[in-house]
């Protein structure tokens, strides 16, 4: 259950809840330089809430949780009537709102536009921690769902948009879904209710905020169909009379803030609409999105006024419902404007245990983490926790002050529920922390994560995408896809490295490329171990400057381009190994194998497994429950290990002769089966084998020769013939760069031919200011700038 963000609890926390019985620890003072949390691991975990809340026919393929599966598949083929015409829509997919099974456009719109904002502003945090592909999957899953919710007539015009799925009460209050306490895979509805925005029922707030999600998805993922859908939704809302939907769970106060959010993202995507700042009425949340709109533009202009009851270790207590969500939203908006980052870090540290109760409010992060989320998939029946909702942020403290109240119980829907909009700002704060303070942090080993399949453990190479811009320049000839460096490609040590003990800055000259390689495609290893860098770039045309975080002061750096080893850079007194070792090993192995075979009688009986091991009731279909069935054998409890209680179930037990097996479902229904197991003949065979093996291993490690060439000439020829434009002097000023950007983005290509010797202007330094610079150079410059920064000031 989740109520309106501004709602004040009628019953105070003191009468509803008891304080969590956790040993009290003294608060720890944390400065902006203290890495109190492993931010990379926390960010990695934070994306899993979305895996836990996936809905529809694609959960099996996309959710990384082994305990989640396809649900509400009947949503894939629905009939709706708009203005007297029937339409077929596929509204499967998307995400459940919170701990229930509902799908609401308004909170989801704020949540996913905020998640887009986190990637847009701090994309390097996702790529450096290997979470880019996980983010991409999450965002595509929602954007594809929203695209399918758009209803068009035969002329291709938008006539409606699905804003809510689920309920099965005529009043569409959501109460029917809240009364269903089973996991989503078990909820049996033939057809779930849906609510639709139309010209006569505009639901402007929900339509605008959904357009914002789609435009943000285009900015981050580069799929043109998302921008097309976003602009179609925006125009649909613009052409209708304005109004909000009276939804009992999410009754919005205004639509202007959501319109501003859609404008901010569409304006960022292609500039086709103007952005108008709207100041919020309260703290940023699903009902106040003006602050998120201004954050897209790197400003806090949309922040409204709100009362802070107390501030403890950076945590501002604003309201008892989702208190950590509200504080996270405020600090994330400020982080997007590069403000108050030290307090953002204090808040994150508070969430991860720097509080009077020493509790971590992210589930699964450590031994002190909250465990019992108010969530039907994690706790079917809403009684006890069955599955770990890894990474989810619970609502948090329910009262202000250092001695706040909080109860870690499944039924505590005020302080322990989780939700899409609770999570998104939290993800943003963690991304800001990774980008600012987390250069040395490492993600957790995927094999250690509970019930995680590891679908995204090899991901992360995807980079933030800038919407396509027509630019000049040539192509890059890349190394062959082999693990052996080619002498054609390499990187040669240039100059003397700066050695600061734990950080080493080295310099090298890239050779063998035709055109400018992308520095983001380079990765590094020191002594065979992968290392992270917090700086890597070209300080002139071909010289690569690398700052490596490592405590190994005398070694060598292996340099990889898109996973292909292209050379070494030695530093200190370290050398790349150049040895050949041959080892011959003779091994004698004696193996003794004992095989015991037990024959069981009565092959037609449902039990065919030997006694003293287990029994199995095949295709046992008497019960109707789908899960949580208990089993007894001769009145003793046994574990259920089957996939579904209504299918084959195996229960362990030492059964001799006859036994009575009883299955009991959640409703108390019982079914009893009497089985007989008779062990017959037992045969034992022992075999002894002696094997002698001789193994010769030759290991060769050779320093890869690097080219002696220290510079390269790049020639780029365009298809146009006009003479090059000339620009002499300093072009670093914002106004001049803005004019250049206008030229490039308008596609005014007037370059003919350029020759760059030993440099490429895409590094944005422009050191050769006395030389003629044509538009092709400027195009390369702008391409670099668009890739490296989140926003570029334009003039004109």
């Amino acid at each position: 259950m989740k109520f309106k963000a501004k709602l004040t609890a009628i019953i105070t926390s003191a009468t509803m809840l008891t304080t969590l019985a956790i040993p009290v620890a003294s608060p720890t003072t944390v400065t902006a330089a203290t890495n109190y949390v492993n931010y990379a691991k926390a960010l990695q975990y934070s994306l899993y809430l979305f895996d836990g809340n996936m809905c529809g026919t694609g959960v099996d393929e996309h959710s990384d949780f082994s305990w989640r599966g396809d649900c509400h598949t009947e949503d894939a083929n629905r009939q709706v009537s708009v203005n007297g015409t029937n339409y077929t829509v596929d509204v499967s997919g998307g995400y459940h709102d919170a701990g229930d099974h509902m799908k609401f456009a308004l909170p989801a719109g704020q949540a996913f536009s905020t998640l887009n904002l986190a990637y847009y502003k701090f994309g390097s945090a996702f790529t450096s921690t290997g979470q880019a592909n996980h983010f991409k999957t999450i965002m595509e899953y929602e954007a594809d769902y929203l695209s399918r919710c758009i209803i068009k007539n035969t002329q291709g015009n938008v006539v409606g948009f699905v804003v809510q799925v689920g309920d099965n009460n005529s009043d569409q209050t959501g109460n029917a879904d809240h009364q269903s306490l089973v996991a989503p895979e078990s909820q049996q509805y033939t057809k779930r209710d849906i609510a639709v925005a139309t010209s006569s029922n505009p639901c402007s707030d929900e339509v605008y905020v959904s357009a914002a999600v789609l435009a943000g998805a285009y900015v981050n993922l580069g799929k043109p169909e998302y921008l097309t859908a976003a602009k179609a939704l925006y125009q649909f809302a613009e052409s209708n009379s304005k109004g909000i939907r009276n939804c009992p769970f999410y009754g919005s106060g205004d639509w202007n803030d959501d319109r501003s959010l859609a404008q901010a993202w569409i304006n960022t995507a292609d500039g086709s609409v103007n952005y108008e700042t709207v100041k919020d009425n309260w703290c940023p949340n699903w009902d106040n999105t003006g602050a998120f709109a201004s954050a897209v533009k790197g400003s806090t202009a949309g922040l409204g006024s709100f009362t802070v009851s107390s501030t403890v270790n950076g945590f501002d207590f604003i309201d008892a419902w989702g208190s950590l969500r509200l504080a996270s939203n405020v600090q994330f908006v400020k982080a997007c404007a590069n403000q108050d980052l030290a307090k953002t870090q204090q808040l994150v540290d508070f969430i991860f245990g720097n509080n009077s109760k020493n509790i971590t409010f992210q589930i699964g992060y450590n031994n002190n983490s909250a465990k019992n989320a108010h969530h039907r998939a994690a706790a079917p029946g809403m009684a006890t926790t069955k599955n770990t909702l890894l990474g989810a942020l619970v609502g948090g403290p329910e009262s202000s002050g250092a001695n706040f109240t909080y109860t870690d119980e499944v039924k505590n829907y005020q302080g322990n529920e989780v939700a899409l909009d609770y999570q998104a700002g939290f993800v943003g704060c963690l991304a800001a922390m990774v980008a600012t303070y987390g250069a040395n942090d490492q993600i957790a080993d995927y094999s250690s994560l509970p019930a995680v399949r590891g679908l995204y453990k090899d991901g992360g190479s995807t980079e933030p995408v800038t919407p396509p811009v027509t630019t000049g320049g040539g192509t890059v000839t890349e190394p062959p896809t082999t693990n052996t460096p080619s002498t054609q490609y390499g990187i040669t040590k240039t100059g003397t490295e700066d050695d600061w003990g734990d950080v080493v800055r080295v310099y090298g000259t890239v050779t063998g490329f035709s055109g400018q390689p992308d520095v983001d495609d380079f990765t590094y290893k020191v002594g065979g171990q992968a290392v992270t860098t917090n700086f890597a770039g070209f300080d002139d045309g071909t010289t690569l400057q690398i700052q490596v975080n490592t405590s190994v002061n005398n070694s060598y750096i292996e340099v990889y381009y898109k996973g292909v080893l292209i050379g070494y850079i030695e530093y200190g007194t370290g050398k790349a190994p150049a040895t050949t070792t041959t080892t011959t090993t003779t091994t004698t192995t004696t193996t003794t194998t004992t095989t015991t075979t037990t024959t069981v009688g009565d092959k037609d009986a449902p039990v065919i497994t030997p006694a003293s091991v287990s029994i199995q009731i095949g295709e046992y279909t008497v019960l109707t429950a789908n899960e949580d069935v208990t089993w007894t054998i001769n009145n003793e409890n046994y574990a259920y290990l089957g996939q579904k209680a209504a299918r084959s179930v195996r229960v362990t037990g030492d059964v001799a002769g006859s036994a009575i097996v009883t299955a009991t479902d959640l409703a108390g229904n019982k079914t009893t089966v009497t089985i007989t197991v008779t062990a017959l003949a037992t045969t034992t065979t022992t075999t002894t084998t002696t094997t002698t093996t001789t193994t010769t291993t030759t290991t060769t490690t050779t320093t890869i020769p690097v080219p002696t060439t220290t510079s390269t000439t790049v020639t780029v020829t365009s298809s146009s013939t006009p003479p090059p434009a000339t620009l002499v002097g300093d072009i670093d000023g914002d106004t001049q760069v803005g004019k250049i950007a206008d030229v490039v983005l308008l596609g005014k290509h007037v370059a003919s031919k350029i020759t760059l010797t030993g440099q490429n202007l895409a590094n944005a330094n422009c050191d050769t200011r006395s030389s003629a610079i044509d538009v092709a150079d400027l195009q390369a410059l702008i391409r670099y700038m668009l890739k490296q920064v989140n926003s570029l000031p334009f003039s004109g």
Side-chain angles (χ1 to χ4, degrees), residues 612-632:
S612 300
V613 180
S614 62
I615 62 175
Q616 178 171 332
I617 303 175
E619 293 300 320
Y620 183 53
T621 59
V622 177
L623 295 176
T624 60
N626 287 329
E627 57 182 20
D628 290 345
V629 177
T630 59
W631 298 84
T632 63

PDB file of all heavy atoms in Angstrom, residues 612-632:
ATOM      1  N   SER A 612      14.977 -44.602   1.745  1.00  0.00           N
ATOM      2  CA  SER A 612      16.088 -43.943   2.450  1.00  0.00           C
ATOM      3  C   SER A 612      16.689 -42.807   1.636  1.00  0.00           C
ATOM      4  O   SER A 612      17.680 -42.227   2.048  1.00  0.00           O
ATOM      5  CB  SER A 612      17.194 -44.938   2.840  1.00  0.00           C
ATOM      6  OG  SER A 612      16.671 -45.930   3.678  1.00  0.00           O
ATOM      7  N   VAL A 613      16.139 -42.495   0.480  1.00  0.00           N
ATOM      8  CA  VAL A 613      16.656 -41.388  -0.322  1.00  0.00           C
ATOM      9  C   VAL A 613      15.577 -40.323  -0.487  1.00  0.00           C
ATOM     10  O   VAL A 613      15.683 -39.235   0.033  1.00  0.00           O
ATOM     11  CB  VAL A 613      17.164 -41.864  -1.692  1.00  0.00           C
ATOM     12  CG1 VAL A 613      17.681 -40.680  -2.489  1.00  0.00           C
ATOM     13  CG2 VAL A 613      18.271 -42.892  -1.508  1.00  0.00           C
ATOM     14  N   SER A 614      14.543 -40.622  -1.224  1.00  0.00           N
ATOM     15  CA  SER A 614      13.455 -39.658  -1.415  1.00  0.00           C
ATOM     16  C   SER A 614      12.265 -40.359  -2.032  1.00  0.00           C
ATOM     17  O   SER A 614      12.371 -41.484  -2.506  1.00  0.00           O
ATOM     18  CB  SER A 614      13.898 -38.494  -2.306  1.00  0.00           C
ATOM     19  OG  SER A 614      14.242 -38.987  -3.580  1.00  0.00           O
ATOM     20  N   ILE A 615      11.144 -39.659  -2.014  1.00  0.00           N
ATOM     21  CA  ILE A 615       9.952 -40.159  -2.691  1.00  0.00           C
ATOM     22  C   ILE A 615       9.429 -39.066  -3.589  1.00  0.00           C
ATOM     23  O   ILE A 615       9.672 -37.888  -3.367  1.00  0.00           O
ATOM     24  CB  ILE A 615       8.859 -40.599  -1.694  1.00  0.00           C
ATOM     25  CG1 ILE A 615       8.397 -39.407  -0.845  1.00  0.00           C
ATOM     26  CG2 ILE A 615       9.339 -41.734  -0.820  1.00  0.00           C
ATOM     27  CD1 ILE A 615       7.253 -39.733   0.061  1.00  0.00           C
ATOM     28  N   GLN A 616       8.738 -39.449  -4.615  1.00  0.00           N
ATOM     29  CA  GLN A 616       8.228 -38.457  -5.579  1.00  0.00           C
ATOM     30  C   GLN A 616       6.818 -38.819  -5.982  1.00  0.00           C
ATOM     31  O   GLN A 616       6.536 -39.954  -6.357  1.00  0.00           O
ATOM     32  CB  GLN A 616       9.113 -38.393  -6.817  1.00  0.00           C
ATOM     33  CG  GLN A 616       8.591 -37.411  -7.855  1.00  0.00           C
ATOM     34  CD  GLN A 616       9.588 -37.208  -8.970  1.00  0.00           C
ATOM     35  OE1 GLN A 616      10.767 -37.353  -8.757  1.00  0.00           O
ATOM     36  NE2 GLN A 616       9.100 -36.874 -10.143  1.00  0.00           N
ATOM     37  N   ILE A 617       5.942 -37.825  -5.885  1.00  0.00           N
ATOM     38  CA  ILE A 617       4.566 -38.015  -6.341  1.00  0.00           C
ATOM     39  C   ILE A 617       4.469 -37.365  -7.707  1.00  0.00           C
ATOM     40  O   ILE A 617       4.554 -36.150  -7.833  1.00  0.00           O
ATOM     41  CB  ILE A 617       3.563 -37.382  -5.356  1.00  0.00           C
ATOM     42  CG1 ILE A 617       3.758 -37.988  -3.960  1.00  0.00           C
ATOM     43  CG2 ILE A 617       2.141 -37.562  -5.830  1.00  0.00           C
ATOM     44  CD1 ILE A 617       2.914 -37.339  -2.911  1.00  0.00           C
ATOM     45  N   GLY A 618       4.315 -38.142  -8.746  1.00  0.00           N
ATOM     46  CA  GLY A 618       4.358 -37.611 -10.103  1.00  0.00           C
ATOM     47  C   GLY A 618       3.042 -36.959 -10.509  1.00  0.00           C
ATOM     48  O   GLY A 618       1.975 -37.517 -10.268  1.00  0.00           O
ATOM     49  N   GLU A 619       3.135 -35.745 -11.151  1.00  0.00           N
ATOM     50  CA  GLU A 619       1.981 -35.045 -11.705  1.00  0.00           C
ATOM     51  C   GLU A 619       0.808 -35.025 -10.728  1.00  0.00           C
ATOM     52  O   GLU A 619      -0.309 -35.395 -11.025  1.00  0.00           O
ATOM     53  CB  GLU A 619       1.548 -35.680 -13.035  1.00  0.00           C
ATOM     54  CG  GLU A 619       2.548 -35.501 -14.141  1.00  0.00           C
ATOM     55  CD  GLU A 619       2.804 -34.034 -14.437  1.00  0.00           C
ATOM     56  OE1 GLU A 619       1.839 -33.247 -14.415  1.00  0.00           O
ATOM     57  OE2 GLU A 619       3.975 -33.684 -14.670  1.00  0.00           O
ATOM     58  N   TYR A 620       1.116 -34.568  -9.503  1.00  0.00           N
ATOM     59  CA  TYR A 620       0.128 -34.561  -8.436  1.00  0.00           C
ATOM     60  C   TYR A 620      -0.729 -33.322  -8.601  1.00  0.00           C
ATOM     61  O   TYR A 620      -0.298 -32.201  -8.338  1.00  0.00           O
ATOM     62  CB  TYR A 620       0.867 -34.563  -7.093  1.00  0.00           C
ATOM     63  CG  TYR A 620      -0.026 -34.631  -5.890  1.00  0.00           C
ATOM     64  CD1 TYR A 620      -0.988 -35.629  -5.764  1.00  0.00           C
ATOM     65  CD2 TYR A 620       0.112 -33.700  -4.868  1.00  0.00           C
ATOM     66  CE1 TYR A 620      -1.785 -35.693  -4.651  1.00  0.00           C
ATOM     67  CE2 TYR A 620      -0.685 -33.759  -3.757  1.00  0.00           C
ATOM     68  CZ  TYR A 620      -1.642 -34.756  -3.647  1.00  0.00           C
ATOM     69  OH  TYR A 620      -2.439 -34.818  -2.544  1.00  0.00           O
ATOM     70  N   THR A 621      -1.959 -33.433  -9.122  1.00  0.00           N
ATOM     71  CA  THR A 621      -2.747 -32.269  -9.550  1.00  0.00           C
ATOM     72  C   THR A 621      -4.011 -32.063  -8.721  1.00  0.00           C
ATOM     73  O   THR A 621      -4.887 -31.307  -9.121  1.00  0.00           O
ATOM     74  CB  THR A 621      -3.146 -32.430 -11.016  1.00  0.00           C
ATOM     75  OG1 THR A 621      -3.907 -33.645 -11.155  1.00  0.00           O
ATOM     76  CG2 THR A 621      -1.942 -32.495 -11.921  1.00  0.00           C
ATOM     77  N   VAL A 622      -4.111 -32.696  -7.582  1.00  0.00           N
ATOM     78  CA  VAL A 622      -5.341 -32.567  -6.804  1.00  0.00           C
ATOM     79  C   VAL A 622      -5.461 -31.156  -6.234  1.00  0.00           C
ATOM     80  O   VAL A 622      -6.502 -30.520  -6.263  1.00  0.00           O
ATOM     81  CB  VAL A 622      -5.383 -33.606  -5.680  1.00  0.00           C
ATOM     82  CG1 VAL A 622      -6.635 -33.406  -4.819  1.00  0.00           C
ATOM     83  CG2 VAL A 622      -5.365 -35.001  -6.290  1.00  0.00           C
ATOM     84  N   LEU A 623      -4.339 -30.614  -5.717  1.00  0.00           N
ATOM     85  CA  LEU A 623      -4.369 -29.276  -5.127  1.00  0.00           C
ATOM     86  C   LEU A 623      -4.454 -28.218  -6.219  1.00  0.00           C
ATOM     87  O   LEU A 623      -3.985 -28.406  -7.320  1.00  0.00           O
ATOM     88  CB  LEU A 623      -3.107 -29.048  -4.289  1.00  0.00           C
ATOM     89  CG  LEU A 623      -2.990 -29.948  -3.053  1.00  0.00           C
ATOM     90  CD1 LEU A 623      -1.675 -29.681  -2.376  1.00  0.00           C
ATOM     91  CD2 LEU A 623      -4.127 -29.690  -2.094  1.00  0.00           C
ATOM     92  N   THR A 624      -5.039 -27.072  -5.876  1.00  0.00           N
ATOM     93  CA  THR A 624      -5.150 -25.972  -6.838  1.00  0.00           C
ATOM     94  C   THR A 624      -4.184 -24.841  -6.540  1.00  0.00           C
ATOM     95  O   THR A 624      -4.003 -23.954  -7.355  1.00  0.00           O
ATOM     96  CB  THR A 624      -6.577 -25.415  -6.835  1.00  0.00           C
ATOM     97  OG1 THR A 624      -6.885 -24.943  -5.522  1.00  0.00           O
ATOM     98  CG2 THR A 624      -7.560 -26.465  -7.260  1.00  0.00           C
ATOM     99  N   ALA A 625      -3.578 -24.846  -5.356  1.00  0.00           N
ATOM    100  CA  ALA A 625      -2.642 -23.759  -5.027  1.00  0.00           C
ATOM    101  C   ALA A 625      -1.392 -23.871  -5.879  1.00  0.00           C
ATOM    102  O   ALA A 625      -0.994 -24.950  -6.277  1.00  0.00           O
ATOM    103  CB  ALA A 625      -2.258 -23.822  -3.544  1.00  0.00           C
ATOM    104  N   ASN A 626      -0.764 -22.730  -6.159  1.00  0.00           N
ATOM    105  CA  ASN A 626       0.422 -22.719  -7.012  1.00  0.00           C
ATOM    106  C   ASN A 626       1.724 -22.646  -6.235  1.00  0.00           C
ATOM    107  O   ASN A 626       2.788 -22.691  -6.808  1.00  0.00           O
ATOM    108  CB  ASN A 626       0.354 -21.535  -7.980  1.00  0.00           C
ATOM    109  CG  ASN A 626      -0.675 -21.770  -9.068  1.00  0.00           C
ATOM    110  OD1 ASN A 626      -0.897 -22.903  -9.446  1.00  0.00           O
ATOM    111  ND2 ASN A 626      -1.288 -20.705  -9.545  1.00  0.00           N
ATOM    112  N   GLU A 627       1.654 -22.434  -4.946  1.00  0.00           N
ATOM    113  CA  GLU A 627       2.907 -22.290  -4.211  1.00  0.00           C
ATOM    114  C   GLU A 627       2.628 -22.446  -2.722  1.00  0.00           C
ATOM    115  O   GLU A 627       1.490 -22.518  -2.269  1.00  0.00           O
ATOM    116  CB  GLU A 627       3.539 -20.912  -4.460  1.00  0.00           C
ATOM    117  CG  GLU A 627       2.638 -19.771  -4.097  1.00  0.00           C
ATOM    118  CD  GLU A 627       3.282 -18.444  -4.410  1.00  0.00           C
ATOM    119  OE1 GLU A 627       4.213 -18.409  -5.220  1.00  0.00           O
ATOM    120  OE2 GLU A 627       2.849 -17.462  -3.824  1.00  0.00           O
ATOM    121  N   ASP A 628       3.708 -22.456  -1.929  1.00  0.00           N
ATOM    122  CA  ASP A 628       3.631 -22.495  -0.477  1.00  0.00           C
ATOM    123  C   ASP A 628       2.767 -23.643   0.029  1.00  0.00           C
ATOM    124  O   ASP A 628       1.817 -23.456   0.789  1.00  0.00           O
ATOM    125  CB  ASP A 628       3.112 -21.160   0.067  1.00  0.00           C
ATOM    126  CG  ASP A 628       4.131 -20.064  -0.111  1.00  0.00           C
ATOM    127  OD1 ASP A 628       5.293 -20.418  -0.372  1.00  0.00           O
ATOM    128  OD2 ASP A 628       3.776 -18.897   0.033  1.00  0.00           O
ATOM    129  N   VAL A 629       3.082 -24.861  -0.406  1.00  0.00           N
ATOM    130  CA  VAL A 629       2.395 -26.061   0.074  1.00  0.00           C
ATOM    131  C   VAL A 629       3.325 -26.804   1.021  1.00  0.00           C
ATOM    132  O   VAL A 629       4.502 -26.966   0.733  1.00  0.00           O
ATOM    133  CB  VAL A 629       1.994 -26.985  -1.102  1.00  0.00           C
ATOM    134  CG1 VAL A 629       1.359 -28.260  -0.582  1.00  0.00           C
ATOM    135  CG2 VAL A 629       1.035 -26.261  -2.023  1.00  0.00           C
ATOM    136  N   THR A 630       2.820 -27.210   2.176  1.00  0.00           N
ATOM    137  CA  THR A 630       3.630 -27.966   3.131  1.00  0.00           C
ATOM    138  C   THR A 630       3.342 -29.450   2.985  1.00  0.00           C
ATOM    139  O   THR A 630       2.238 -29.854   2.603  1.00  0.00           O
ATOM    140  CB  THR A 630       3.334 -27.518   4.566  1.00  0.00           C
ATOM    141  OG1 THR A 630       1.932 -27.708   4.843  1.00  0.00           O
ATOM    142  CG2 THR A 630       3.671 -26.033   4.736  1.00  0.00           C
ATOM    143  N   TRP A 631       4.343 -30.268   3.317  1.00  0.00           N
ATOM    144  CA  TRP A 631       4.234 -31.710   3.113  1.00  0.00           C
ATOM    145  C   TRP A 631       4.594 -32.438   4.410  1.00  0.00           C
ATOM    146  O   TRP A 631       5.516 -32.031   5.116  1.00  0.00           O
ATOM    147  CB  TRP A 631       5.180 -32.162   1.998  1.00  0.00           C
ATOM    148  CG  TRP A 631       4.856 -31.537   0.686  1.00  0.00           C
ATOM    149  CD1 TRP A 631       5.238 -30.319   0.230  1.00  0.00           C
ATOM    150  CD2 TRP A 631       4.054 -32.113  -0.342  1.00  0.00           C
ATOM    151  NE1 TRP A 631       4.728 -30.080  -1.011  1.00  0.00           N
ATOM    152  CE2 TRP A 631       4.007 -31.167  -1.405  1.00  0.00           C
ATOM    153  CE3 TRP A 631       3.378 -33.326  -0.477  1.00  0.00           C
ATOM    154  CZ2 TRP A 631       3.312 -31.399  -2.573  1.00  0.00           C
ATOM    155  CZ3 TRP A 631       2.693 -33.560  -1.652  1.00  0.00           C
ATOM    156  CH2 TRP A 631       2.662 -32.613  -2.676  1.00  0.00           C
ATOM    157  N   THR A 632       3.880 -33.491   4.686  1.00  0.00           N
ATOM    158  CA  THR A 632       4.231 -34.342   5.826  1.00  0.00           C
ATOM    159  C   THR A 632       4.272 -35.788   5.366  1.00  0.00           C
ATOM    160  O   THR A 632       3.531 -36.201   4.466  1.00  0.00           O
ATOM    161  CB  THR A 632       3.215 -34.209   6.970  1.00  0.00           C
ATOM    162  OG1 THR A 632       1.931 -34.660   6.522  1.00  0.00           O
ATOM    163  CG2 THR A 632       3.115 -32.759   7.443  1.00  0.00           C
TER     164      THR A 632
END
